[in-house]
Amino acid sequence: MKQFLKILSISACAVFFVMATVGCSSREDQSAGARPSTKRERNYMKEGKSLFDKQRYAEAEVNFKKALGENPDNGRARFNLASSYLKQRGEDLVNKGDSLVKQADAILEQTAANSDILLAEQSFYDRGNIAYKSEDYASAIEMYKHALRRNPENNQARENLRLAQLKKQQQDQNKDDNKDQDNNQDQNQDQQQQQQNRDQQDQNKDQQDKDQQQQQQQQQQQQQGGLSEQSAAQILKAMDDKESATRMKVEQMKQGQEKQSRQRQTGKPW
């Protein structure tokens, strides 16, 4: 937080410096082929700077817009308008949707292409600060490098560049660590799933073996029960046959005895 507050304070100093050159900026715009500045335009710029110094950023915004109404080619007014947006946002420079930060960044993208080297340098620098706060360290690094190309003596841009590079390294390391952690979690989950599958397969096999064993036992019992009944039936039939044969012999013996008895009676002498 201390480092970023330092970045914000530098951005504010850059705004003051650009505003302090309002008078000469008009002449530079004229030399670049832009329309001549008017008295009303200069008054709006002066009033806007005064309000900005008093931290009345919303009112300063109105005056910079009026200056642009007088001269749409006034790059300084455009830059200062973006600065008033950033100041109204305060330390919350995260680029969210259609916020003031997004509007400011869009304006700074335009002023960064200005032929005025100082204006381009400060525009890239502030864009670097916006990207830094949004944790887009790759973009911040590029913006600070552009600022240094316009002004190699900008030591603060160089220091902020180092900070952004360190943050980028930490960010990349965290991504790698998270990726490794995710991979480890995936591997652990895969191993757990494989183990669960093996356990389930073992349980299924055990159950199949038990079912097969029970089925075999039931078949054996059924087979044994069938042989016993068959044997019993055979034995009973044999006994019945034997008993029938015995009865027949007895009957035959009785019949023979009766026949002999009748023969003895008829053969008696008179």
Side-chain angles (χ1 to χ4, degrees), residues 5 14 28 69 75 81 94 104 106 114 116 168 192 204 208 214 224 228-229 231 244 252 256:
L5 290 177
E28 289 173 358
L81 175 62
V94 179
N114 198 285
D116 184 342
K168 180 67 164 56
Q192 291 177 356
N204 293 338
Q208 289 176 357
Q214 290 177 356
Q224 292 175 356
S228 297
E229 292 176 358
S231 298
S244 296
Q252 290 175 357

Side-chain angles (χ1 to χ4, degrees), residues 107-117 119-121 123-124 127 150:
I107 293 173
L108 292 172
E109 184 178 7
Q110 295 175 354
T111 56
N114 198 285
S115 58
D116 184 342
I117 295 178
L119 183 59
E121 172 200 350
S123 298
F124 279 121
R127 291 198 74 197
R150 271 70 179 176

Side-chain angles (χ1 to χ4, degrees), residues 130-157:
I130 293 173
Y132 185 98
K133 180 61 177 178
S134 300
E135 298 183 359
D136 185 1
Y137 301 117
S139 296
I141 290 170
E142 291 303 314
M143 295 299 107
Y144 291 137
K145 285 181 177 179
H146 281 299
L148 286 169
R149 291 189 185 104
R150 271 70 179 176
N151 179 16
E153 302 300 324
N154 189 337
N155 293 327
Q156 192 56 56

Side-chain angles (χ1 to χ4, degrees), residues 37-233:
S37 64
T38 65
K39 183 177 180 181
R40 287 166 59 88
E41 175 189 352
R42 292 192 294 272
N43 287 338
Y44 287 137
M45 289 291 289
K46 183 178 179 180
E47 181 64 19
K49 177 187 181 304
S50 176
L51 292 167
F52 194 100
D53 291 342
K54 296 175 182 178
Q55 299 182 0
R56 294 162 62 180
Y57 304 119
E59 296 175 69
E61 171 195 339
V62 174
N63 279 272
F64 295 138
K65 285 181 176 179
K66 289 180 178 180
L68 285 169
E70 292 291 326
N71 181 8
D73 297 328
N74 190 335
R76 302 290 180 178
R78 195 175 301 278
F79 177 88
N80 294 342
L81 175 62
S83 299
S84 67
Y85 285 154
L86 295 178
K87 281 297 185 180
Q88 288 180 69
R89 178 57 63 199
E91 294 184 8
D92 183 18
L93 293 186
V94 179
N95 199 338
K96 301 176 181 177
D98 59 347
S99 66
L100 294 177
V101 177
K102 182 177 180 180
Q103 297 180 54
D105 191 58
I107 293 173
L108 292 172
E109 184 178 7
Q110 295 175 354
T111 56
N114 198 285
S115 58
D116 184 342
I117 295 178
L118 175 61
L119 183 59
E121 172 200 350
Q122 298 298 341
S123 298
F124 279 121
Y125 181 85
D126 281 357
R127 291 198 74 197
N129 292 343
I130 293 173
Y132 185 98
K133 180 61 177 178
S134 300
E135 298 183 359
D136 185 1
Y137 301 117
S139 296
I141 290 170
E142 291 303 314
M143 295 299 107
Y144 291 137
K145 285 181 177 179
H146 281 299
L148 286 169
R149 291 189 185 104
R150 271 70 179 176
N151 179 16
E153 302 300 324
N154 189 337
N155 293 327
Q156 192 56 56
R158 185 172 289 102
E159 181 177 346
N160 292 349
L161 173 60
R162 293 193 188 99
L163 292 174
Q165 288 171 337
L166 289 174
K167 287 290 187 180
K168 180 67 164 56
Q169 291 177 359
Q170 294 175 359
Q171 191 178 62
D172 292 342
Q173 183 62 43
N174 291 335
K175 287 181 180 179
D176 292 338
D177 292 342
N178 291 335
K179 184 177 180 180
D180 292 340
Q181 185 177 1
D182 292 339
N183 290 335
N184 291 334
Q185 290 178 351
D186 292 340
Q187 290 177 357
N188 292 334
Q189 290 177 355
D190 290 340
Q191 291 176 356
Q192 291 177 356
Q193 185 63 40
Q194 291 175 359
Q195 184 62 41
Q196 290 177 356
N197 292 337
R198 287 194 294 268
D199 293 342
Q200 186 64 39
Q201 289 175 357
D202 292 340
Q203 291 178 0
N204 293 338
K205 188 175 183 303
D206 292 341
Q207 186 63 39
Q208 289 176 357
D209 292 341
K210 290 180 180 179
D211 293 341
Q212 186 175 4
Q213 186 177 3
Q214 290 177 356
Q215 185 177 4
Q216 290 176 351
Q217 290 176 353
Q218 291 176 356
Q219 290 177 353
Q220 290 176 357
Q221 291 176 356
Q222 291 176 357
Q223 290 174 357
Q224 292 175 356
L227 289 174
S228 297
E229 292 176 358
Q230 185 177 2
S231 298

